[in-house]
Amino acid sequence: MADHPPIEAYDEIDSTNAEARRRAEAGEGGPVWITARRQTAGRGRRGRAWSTEAGNLAATLLTTTDAPAAEAAQLSFVAALAACDLADTCLGAGAAQLKWPNDVLVFGKKAVGILVESGARADGRLWLAVGIGINLAHAPTDIERPATSFAEHMAGPPPKPADAVEVLAGKFESWRELWATQGFSPISAGWTQRAHGLGERCEARLPNRTLTGVAEGMDPDGALRLRLDDGALERITAGDVFFGGAT
Ligand code: BTN
């Protein structure tokens, strides 16, 4: 397993992403993993809340990059692949799939969410907070989309968050090294191999409109290719995608 940055653990915090932001704004560059047993104000994509009960994993990698923002955002796919690897380790190969842009589904239901935040540092480089929430032990019941936990699919107890983050950080480092040395292409290939719903109809809810069509695959920059009913191709760069069954 690849060496990974140090891991710092809090018992309780508002949000590991918020802590990464505070540290970045105070000049800290990482890399460091920040984890917490409980988050009191965990945040999700598009302004949603993310609940973290004890037994689940909340972890954020604070790091600094020379890459431009659009390229740095590709680390969200690196995070998704690392979380998928962790799921494979716990549940067996094939249990987990990736839903664009970077949800991890376990047997078709969301078990992992990823939120990447970033900002400019005083030296002009970019800080990144790669936040990963994993339902190891519990799944929330109060969200509009079906969710699951690793525990629901394991005969024995799920991994402890402290053990899971070690595996996750090592897997992240392996994929990150590939990305740093070979670019996005191996990441895109890894994502495509594990993608949920390619070739299937879906609804893409974008910030200002909703489109339906067939998810064809990922473009070289991470955009989702959506074939509309009139045959036109749309590149989806931001939004949520729903396949049948509301996933
Ligand atoms: C999503 O909406 O799917 C993204 C959820 C991201 C949750 C993680 S938990 C660790 C980190 N800290 C946060 O406050 N959010 C992210």
Side-chain angles (χ1 to χ4, degrees):
M1 179 99 62
D3 279 350
H4 58 72
I7 297 171
E8 291 185 19
Y10 288 81
D11 197 34
E12 183 174 293
I13 203 167
D14 51 354
S15 147
T16 53
N17 267 36
E19 173 65 10
R21 175 180 289 272
R22 283 190 290 270
R23 291 184 184 203
E25 289 176 351
E28 191 175 326
V32 60
W33 283 94
I34 301 163
T35 69
R37 287 188 61 228
R38 278 184 310 277
Q39 295 189 116
T40 54
R43 46 206 205 207
R45 292 176 62 235
R46 306 174 143 257
R48 291 187 287 255
W50 180 269
S51 95
T52 303
E53 289 184 57
N56 283 354
L57 176 63
T60 299
L61 174 68
L62 169 62
T63 190
T64 299
T65 179
D66 293 320
E71 206 176 301
Q74 294 170 352
L75 281 177
S76 68
F77 296 104
V78 167
L81 283 164
C84 198
D85 283 348
L86 171 66
D88 282 355
T89 305
C90 301
L91 306 168
Q97 284 191 310
L98 299 172
K99 182 170 81 77
W100 191 93
N102 45 40
D103 287 345
V104 180
L105 309 181
V106 167
F107 295 111
K109 295 183 183 175
K110 179 163 170 167
V112 177
I114 292 167
L115 175 68
V116 177
E117 298 179 71
S118 63
R121 290 165 47 89
D123 63 7
R125 294 193 297 159
L126 206 62
W127 62 261
L128 288 166
V130 183
I132 308 174
I134 305 188
N135 298 338
L136 296 173
H138 313 278
T141 50
D142 59 340
I143 62 168
E144 56 171 314
R145 278 159 279 193
T148 191
S149 65
F150 286 16
E152 278 174 35
H153 308 280
M154 294 178 72
K160 293 191 172 66
D163 297 331
V165 72
E166 286 284 346
V167 176
L168 180 74
K171 301 286 187 189
F172 185 97
E173 203 47 34
S174 303
W175 285 105
R176 193 202 61 77
E177 272 170 26
L178 261 185
W179 176 74
T181 52
Q182 297 178 35
F184 191 56
S185 148
I187 306 304
S188 169
W191 186 91
T192 302
Q193 246 177 24
R194 293 150 169 215
H196 172 84
L198 290 190
E200 290 177 23
R201 285 191 70 73
C202 65
E203 181 177 282
R205 294 187 200 156
L206 316 185
N208 51 359
R209 63 201 168 126
T210 296
L211 299 171
T212 52
V214 173
E216 283 196 343
M218 185 187 271
D219 261 358
D221 62 351
L224 179 72
R225 284 196 308 275
L226 183 70
R227 183 70 62 183
L228 304 183
D229 295 339
D230 66 3
L233 190 65
E234 278 276 346
R235 278 170 37 82
I236 310 296
T237 55
D240 282 323
V241 170
F242 297 87
F243 293 87
T247 45

